[in-house]
Amino acid sequence: MNLYLRYFDDETLVTSVDAAIDFLKSLEEIDVDPALEADIREYAASNVLYPKRYKIRSRVYFIIIKTVANNMQEFKEHRNQKKEGKDGEEVKVRPASAEILKLNEERPGWYEGDMLFKRVNYDPAKGKYRYLDTTFVAHVKANSGMDCYNRIVSHLQERVDSRSQFPSAKGKNFKFRFLGLAK
């Protein structure tokens, strides 16, 4: 695993922790003490894959990112995957999951929608309101998975407290399946 380091416009991609520490020592603003050096070695040896940032002074940081890229060009290309869009402009590409793609697929018929939402409920024993996880399952005639979601939310908003919280259609707390044209 290689390390990418950036401090403002100074950046490098190194293959070892020693090279990373040498890079940081070459920067005048960064004081590399034994504690910082030990923390960088610990981060590099750990299984943690998310970027790590180190504070230099108020609102000034440098970052370290673990990567499998072998050189700076490969690292930059991987981070900035772009695709040409309308009118020749470049658009960043984000891979969409199969479920999200099916969500907007036009397919009129019956759907089963399953939603886990936070329902506001009054607790008379304590005299307070509280959120309860509530599962709601319905068979809905809709044109797509998104239409199914919108119809379920619309139905629930008329029947539960307005402070209740509904999940995103793209999240894990909403599932749907196409049942067919006739129920």
Side-chain angles (χ1 to χ4, degrees), residues 2 6 28 35 41 56-57 65 80 97 101 105 108 124 126 129 133 137-138 151-152 179:
N2 296 328
R6 185 178 75 221
E28 294 176 14
R41 289 185 190 282
I56 304 304
R57 59 182 180 277
I65 300 173
N80 295 323
S97 71
L101 293 174
E105 180 184 319
K126 294 183 179 179
Y129 289 91
D133 284 343
V137 180
R151 288 175 187 247
I152 289 173
L179 299 174

Side-chain angles (χ1 to χ4, degrees), residues 108-161:
W110 286 93
Y111 288 81
E112 179 181 78
D114 184 344
M115 180 181 293
L116 177 67
F117 70 102
K118 301 277 187 195
R119 182 179 188 166
V120 172
N121 210 6
Y122 182 70
D123 185 0
K126 294 183 179 179
K128 294 183 179 181
Y129 289 91
R130 63 184 183 152
Y131 286 99
L132 296 174
D133 284 343
T134 306
T135 301
F136 183 79
V137 180
H139 290 185
V140 179
K141 191 168 188 179
N143 294 320
S144 66
M146 191 66 193
D147 189 30
C148 172
Y149 170 83
N150 290 335
R151 288 175 187 247
I152 289 173
V153 169
S154 175
H155 173 80
L156 290 172
Q157 283 177 334
E158 295 173 6
R159 289 162 178 81
V160 297
D161 193 296

Side-chain angles (χ1 to χ4, degrees), residues 21 31-43 52 54 62:
I21 292 170
D31 180 33
V32 181
D33 60 356
L36 177 63
E37 192 173 326
D39 196 50
I40 292 172
R41 289 185 190 282
E42 182 181 323
Y43 169 71
K52 184 149 185 176
Y54 293 91
F62 75 86

Side-chain angles (χ1 to χ4, degrees), residues 95-109:
S97 71
E99 284 295 315
I100 293 173
L101 293 174
K102 288 181 184 177
L103 190 64
N104 291 318
E105 180 184 319
E106 289 287 326
R107 196 170 177 192

Side-chain angles (χ1 to χ4, degrees), residues 169-180:
K170 297 176 184 177
K172 64 180 181 178
N173 291 330
F174 174 70
K175 295 176 185 70
F176 68 93
R177 70 184 175 105
F178 183 68
L179 299 174

